[in-house]
Amino acid sequence: MSLSPNVDAVAAGEFSETGVVPLPSSVYWRCTLGLKAELSAISSQTKLLFVPGVKGASEAAADLAEKLARDGGPKLTPAEAPEGKTHADIDEILFVSAEGLKKEGYRLHAAAGVTMEAGDPAGHFYAVQTLLQLLNPTGEKGALKPLRAGLHITDEPRFAWRGMMLDCCRHFFTVDEVKEVIDMMASLKLNVFHWHLTEDQAWRIEIKKYPELTEKGAWREGVGFGLPTTSTTHYRASDGQYGGFYTQDDVRDVIAYAAARHITVVPEIEMPGHATAALTVYPKLGCTGGPYEMMQKGGVFKEVYCAGNDETIAFLKDVLDEVSELFPSQFIHVGGDECPKDRWTSCSKCQGRIKAEGLKDEHELQSWVMRTMEKHLSAKGKRLLGWDEILEGGLPPGATVMSWRGMKGGIAAADSGHDVVMSPTTHCYFDYYQSEDKDREPKAIGGFLPLEKVYELDPVTTAIAENKRHHVLGAQANLWTEYIPNAGQMQYMIAPRIAALAEVVWTPQEKRDWPDFRMRLAAQLKRFEARGFNYRKPE
Ligand code: ACM
Ligand code: ZN
């Protein structure tokens, strides 16, 4: 790459060499006479400055200092900029506020120094993530390189919801392992961590009012899913139990860690299906009264919460009360997927509820449960989010839909004025195989979702009426962990597909380009390596 001075170069192709992922919404180079062609390398002489009072600026400067030191660069100490300073001079990096940028947006100007402009703390944070990738594309220690003068980036996300779900029930992941995922998400400008916390196979979140949920419900006989005990570190040979859970302090710790990285943690408490762990602990909450057994295998099970039992409804509300208190997230995910109606059909309480509430059938009973929870949550200022099955039997008024069985549910929900997150199995299910040569891959649940297919997703389809497309909040990847008993395998399923997803949800659709992404991905793969994040090498 060589640019003559005083030449404007719109540099889509040339920018490929930088390895920045996701691709910013607007990039150009303008070299003007009188400027050095390149900045000198960031050195111990570089001043790291922030304008006092600019929200998020000092934190961003501190984050940059920490990461530069981590990468073997000079140890810089952030300092307040002198009054009136708006642009970085030579050998300076300056964080300032800016008008006219969208939420989470930023501008990065590399002239004599580097000026980082943003209108909010997330914008400053994302400016740092981009600068780090520019200064050290491979992420390796000691690999910092000079920044070319004349680079101007104006950047903002395409979507407000840039998510990743991790199922910590089928298999357990420690707080530190969860934080590693959060770190990777943040470096790629993802901002929603959807934490799947209750299931047939385990209940993972401490609920003070019902301590047995985790005392008993977080443990099961063996690793389950036919996997050997050696595949995980969470199996206790002493009593043959597998499991683990998050105390409320752990949860607060994860939320704070994520918040510092501009990631919202959205909890999922499954109902009325996928409830066997809770029913095993409290059999009276089911239609038959049990006994129930912790599930050891995957699938969709008939044992679900009894929707006719007032005690069950009170239990669910109690759990949501504690969860709403713990999580600052506006959205609370209540599952709603895969709830067989077999038990409800032959349960006198459920049939009684259908009659008393004037419901047509069991599908409307499911909808009644969702409506009841939606009312409960919205009275607390929270919003209910559920998988697309919550459309069946009627969508509660304020509900947001996560569309997983393709985009259909999302299209229908958006068309009827509901917010939507797209997460179709076809493009977003990271538990699917990454290659058709399955014998050479770790055992997975099935399917085939190569990197390129993830990249192909456009969350906004023309099938949605034009004036309803703003209801698509964004998209997310889901990692269900039936066959994923340890963090190394979990990371392997996430990376590098998470990089493709990041570009889907961040970069303007018209700027996205698969060959260009593949070029920039080469640096991203090195960054996975440098961060110790396991990944699959693409062909
Ligand atoms: C799902 O994959 N059952 C939402
Ligand atoms: Zn029942």
Side-chain angles (χ1 to χ4, degrees):
M1 174 172 61
S2 79
L3 289 175
S4 336
N6 213 15
V7 167
D8 279 359
V10 178
E14 288 166 63
F15 196 73
S16 322
E17 294 175 23
T18 64
V20 172
V21 177
L23 183 71
S25 47
S26 162
V27 178
Y28 71 95
W29 263 290
R30 175 178 292 145
C31 294
T32 44
L33 280 174
L35 288 182
K36 295 203 296 183
E38 281 185 346
L39 284 184
S40 48
I42 303 276
S43 73
S44 52
Q45 303 308 308
T46 306
K47 286 194 193 128
L48 185 48
L49 302 171
F50 60 90
V51 173
V54 173
K55 272 199 181 152
S58 74
E59 290 84 351
D63 184 30
L64 179 60
E66 185 198 316
K67 302 273 167 52
L68 286 174
R70 175 199 68 188
D71 289 0
K75 292 189 178 32
L76 305 181
T77 307
E80 291 191 2
E83 207 170 316
K85 198 162 179 65
T86 56
H87 285 91
D89 290 308
I90 195 151
D91 248 350
E92 290 177 349
I93 300 172
L94 172 69
F95 290 86
V96 296
S97 68
E99 311 267 301
L101 283 162
K102 290 214 184 118
K103 228 169 149 237
E104 306 180 273
Y106 67 91
R107 290 190 212 104
L108 185 158
H109 305 289
V114 184
T115 309
M116 312 275 263
E117 302 180 352
D120 59 24
H124 284 295
F125 180 80
Y126 293 136
V128 168
Q129 306 317 307
T130 300
L131 182 60
L132 285 165
Q133 292 184 356
L134 287 166
L135 290 173
N136 188 6
T138 64
E140 289 158 85
K141 224 173 165 60
L144 290 192
K145 59 180 206 119
L147 194 62
R148 179 174 285 274
L151 173 64
H152 299 270
I153 295 176
T154 301
D155 201 8
E156 66 191 29
R158 180 177 176 206
F159 293 107
W161 189 293
R162 307 183 298 277
M164 168 92 219
M165 184 219 71
L166 182 63
D167 166 13
C168 291
C169 299
R170 271 50 176 270
H171 285 102
F172 178 69
F173 300 97
T174 63
V175 164
D176 284 345
E177 288 163 352
V178 166
K179 286 180 177 175
E180 283 166 9
V181 173
I182 287 172
D183 276 331
M184 189 47 67
M185 289 176 62
S187 73
L188 292 164
K189 304 187 176 81
L190 297 178
N191 70 343
V192 179
F193 176 63
H194 169 174
W195 202 2
H196 188 77
L197 290 165
T198 74
E199 258 304 338
D200 296 305
Q201 296 84 359
W203 184 286
R204 300 281 184 220
I205 177 173
E206 179 191 25
I207 300 295
K208 300 278 189 197
K209 191 162 181 181
Y210 303 98
E212 288 162 308
L213 283 171
T214 41
E215 283 164 11
K216 295 182 182 162
W219 306 93
R220 63 177 183 249
E221 292 271 304
V223 183
F225 306 93
L227 297 171
T229 53
T230 49
S231 62
T232 176
T233 51
H234 304 301
Y235 173 73
R236 297 188 302 212
S238 56
D239 61 1
Q241 296 284 301
Y242 168 89
F245 66 92
Y246 309 104
T247 65
Q248 294 200 353
D249 281 342
D250 289 337
V251 169
R252 278 186 279 268
D253 179 25
V254 167
I255 291 169
Y257 190 87
R261 289 153 185 78
H262 299 277
I263 290 176
T264 301
V265 183
V266 175
E268 181 181 354
I269 306 295
E270 271 267 21
M271 62 187 78
H274 288 291
T276 315
L279 296 181
T280 305
V281 178
Y282 301 114
K284 62 182 179 182
L285 302 179
C287 291
T288 65
Y292 303 97
E293 243 181 79
M294 297 289 292
M295 285 298 165
Q296 310 275 354
K297 56 178 187 190
V300 174
F301 303 105
K302 286 184 186 151
E303 306 303 344
V304 303
Y305 289 115
C306 177
N309 183 349
D310 290 338
E311 220 180 321
T312 305
I313 300 301
F315 164 83
L316 293 172
K317 286 181 177 173
D318 287 342
V319 169
L320 290 183
D321 286 348
E322 285 194 32
V323 167
S324 299
E325 190 70 29
L326 261 177
F327 289 83
S329 164
Q330 200 189 5
F331 287 99
I332 305 289
H333 202 307
V334 296
D337 60 318
E338 300 178 325
C339 178
K341 309 295 188 286
D342 308 57
R343 295 288 178 257
W344 291 359
T345 311
S346 50
C347 167
S348 59
K349 284 185 182 149
C350 285
Q351 292 305 312
R353 178 85 71 200
I354 288 175
K355 218 162 159 193
E357 297 292 334
L359 307 172
K360 199 169 77 210
D361 57 15
E362 288 75 20
H363 293 289
E364 287 199 358
L365 181 56
Q366 155 129 358
S367 174
W368 177 86
V369 174
M370 290 295 135
R371 274 204 313 279
T372 304
M373 296 307 149
E374 197 272 336
K375 229 185 278 169
H376 191 70
L377 286 172
S378 71
K380 299 170 180 300
K382 300 286 191 185
R383 296 175 65 182
L384 177 142
L385 174 62
W387 300 108
D388 57 60
E389 285 94 330
I390 68 171
L391 281 150
E392 294 160 17
L395 208 48
T400 297
V401 170
M402 195 165 267
S403 191
W404 72 281
R405 297 174 301 173
M407 312 267 275
K408 294 191 305 295
I411 295 165
D415 277 340
S416 63
H418 289 261
D419 284 344
V420 165
V421 176
M422 294 296 190
S423 194
T425 53
T426 48
H427 297 76
C428 294
Y429 268 47
F430 285 9
D431 53 340
Y432 287 9
Y433 280 101
Q434 302 186 66
S435 158
E436 283 178 301
D437 190 359
K438 294 182 181 167
D439 293 342
R440 302 179 68 153
E441 294 292 317
K443 182 171 169 51
I445 201 154
F448 174 47
L449 179 55
L451 185 63
E452 187 164 6
K453 182 94 186 199
V454 178
Y455 197 81
E456 279 170 13
L457 176 67
D458 180 355
V460 178
T461 144
T462 52
I464 301 171
E466 205 164 349
N467 64 349
K468 302 287 188 188
R469 289 181 197 159
H470 64 278
H471 284 298
V472 179
L473 304 180
Q476 74 172 41
N478 296 327
L479 187 59
W480 303 103
T481 59
E482 282 90 340
Y483 296 99
I484 305 176
N486 59 64
Q489 203 176 324
M490 179 257 279
Q491 294 175 353
Y492 178 91
M493 300 307 272
I494 291 176
R497 290 184 288 195
I498 191 174
L501 177 85
E503 198 140 316
V504 165
V505 289
W506 182 278
T507 306
Q509 181 67 12
E510 69 279 8
K511 296 271 170 80
R512 297 210 287 120
D513 180 78
W514 169 251
D516 181 69
F517 170 74
R518 277 307 305 258
M519 277 185 69
R520 285 177 288 107
L521 184 69
Q524 180 60 44
L525 297 180
K526 293 201 171 126
R527 293 195 288 271
F528 288 132
E529 187 113 23
R531 297 281 81 78
F533 202 92
N534 195 22
Y535 68 99
R536 181 180 184 280
K537 289 185 183 62
E539 288 77 15

